[in-house]
Amino acid sequence: MAEVSSVPPLLSGNLAFFFDLDGTLAEIKPHPDQVYIPAAVRTLLQKMSVMSDGALALISGRSMAELDKLATPFHFPLAGVHGAERRDINDKTHIVTLPEPMVAALHQYLNDALTLLPGTELEPKGMAFALHYRQAPEAKEAIFALAQEMIQRYPELALQPGKCVVELKPLGIDKGAAIRAFMQEAPFAGRTPVFIGDDLTDEAGFKQVNALGGLTIKVGSGETIANHRLANVRMVYHWLGKLTQHIEQQKPDILRGENYESLSGSL
């Protein structure tokens, strides 16, 4: 397990960047709708995308529509719902679906069940469902029991624990598979991958990137197979700013722009 003090090295060369969102690029909030990526960080991500010829993707449990909204005005390759939906560099989408009758039945059953658990919240994602209990931690055991019941009833589903959430998603879908798909395509192919995440859902991504000889970074505490660690979201911002400056020094013509100095200072 990586130590909290295990600060990632400042790399250069042909890199491909993959970022989780909540708890990595944005502070976790009491409600998902309150989450945002600071404007300076969005601008930094765009600069990193330019310097890597577009090899930068957001990999999240959120939907691609939510990711686009949070990244606005910039437009990146995306993997939403843990990879059940993916958009490549050419804007081609790859979406895993579940049968409509199954989705409708699940939605109704889960909605009725969570109504009996005050403070919990159901987030339908089309091909997946998130069962949130951040506002009702005492409901954790009941939420897990409900999710286990669903995967026994529907073997097409898998259970994915997260921070105060349990998700039901299509079997075989995870962030590692999404990263693997990106790494087989331009502009990611042939580059060294870098993946930063904070949650149990990111461990599959860490496993894939480690297998490719890349750099994996866990944000916050907890056991992980990532090979480095940053303490919190603010340290992610700080490290990304330092990394961008380091790469600019290696390739000074790539990132130089009129707003870069003020951007660095704002991080």
Side-chain angles (χ1 to χ4, degrees):
M1 186 176 73
E3 298 294 333
V4 173
S5 61
S6 180
V7 178
L10 298 178
L11 302 179
S12 57
N14 291 325
L15 304 176
F17 297 100
F18 300 98
F19 295 99
D20 171 52
L21 197 140
D22 295 75
T24 299
L25 291 178
E27 300 281 2
I28 292 176
K29 299 293 184 180
H31 194 275
D33 290 345
Q34 299 172 329
V35 169
Y36 67 95
I37 305 174
V41 177
R42 281 177 274 148
T43 300
L44 179 59
L45 292 175
Q46 175 64 11
K47 288 183 176 289
M48 295 180 74
S49 178
V50 170
M51 77 184 185
S52 60
D53 298 320
L56 182 149
L58 305 182
I59 313 284
S60 175
R62 289 178 178 267
S63 69
M64 293 197 302
E66 290 178 294
L67 294 176
D68 269 333
K69 183 178 179 181
L70 287 163
T72 190
F74 305 113
H75 187 80
F76 303 115
L78 305 172
V81 196
H82 308 289
E85 52 181 21
R86 192 172 67 87
R87 183 178 74 207
D88 64 25
I89 192 69
N90 298 312
D91 280 345
K92 181 179 179 181
T93 57
H94 312 260
I95 299 178
V96 176
T97 60
L98 294 171
E100 283 298 327
M102 175 182 167
V103 171
L106 264 169
H107 194 170
Q108 184 64 55
Y109 190 89
L110 292 171
N111 189 66
D112 291 346
L114 265 62
T115 298
L116 303 176
L117 298 170
T120 64
E121 181 178 353
L122 176 65
E123 181 187 0
K125 301 182 179 183
M127 76 294 287
F129 294 88
L131 287 62
H132 295 274
Y133 57 91
R134 183 173 298 277
Q135 304 304 315
E138 68 280 2
K140 177 179 179 179
E141 185 174 336
I143 289 289
F144 269 84
L146 176 61
Q148 288 285 0
E149 177 189 349
M150 292 300 97
I151 63 172
Q152 291 173 8
R153 183 179 302 183
Y154 299 101
E156 306 94 326
L157 296 177
L159 184 156
Q160 176 63 69
K163 290 182 177 177
C164 298
V165 63
V166 177
E167 299 204 38
L168 296 167
K169 62 180 184 178
L171 188 67
I173 297 299
D174 60 44
K175 293 183 179 182
I179 290 173
R180 182 167 61 251
F182 277 123
M183 290 299 295
Q184 293 171 353
E185 306 168 343
F188 299 90
R191 292 175 172 268
T192 300
V194 177
F195 178 44
I196 310 180
D198 75 306
D199 205 348
L200 289 172
T201 64
D202 299 308
E203 293 297 316
F206 294 151
K207 181 178 180 180
Q208 179 62 41
V209 171
N210 285 345
L212 293 171
L215 182 72
T216 49
I217 304 169
K218 162 82 170 181
V219 182
S221 60
E223 291 190 8
T224 184
I225 61 171
N227 46 42
H228 293 281
R229 192 185 296 269
L230 290 167
N232 51 45
V233 172
R234 292 300 305 175
M235 290 304 298
V236 172
Y237 298 163
H238 179 73
W239 184 76
L240 291 179
K242 291 289 189 182
L243 176 63
T244 307
Q245 288 178 324
H246 174 73
I247 295 175
E248 185 193 28
Q249 290 170 0
Q250 307 298 314
K251 301 178 180 179
D253 294 332
I254 291 181
L255 294 175
R256 200 175 301 282
E258 59 184 58
N259 295 323
Y260 182 70
E261 292 303 326
S262 60
L263 170 67
S264 300
S266 68
L267 294 172

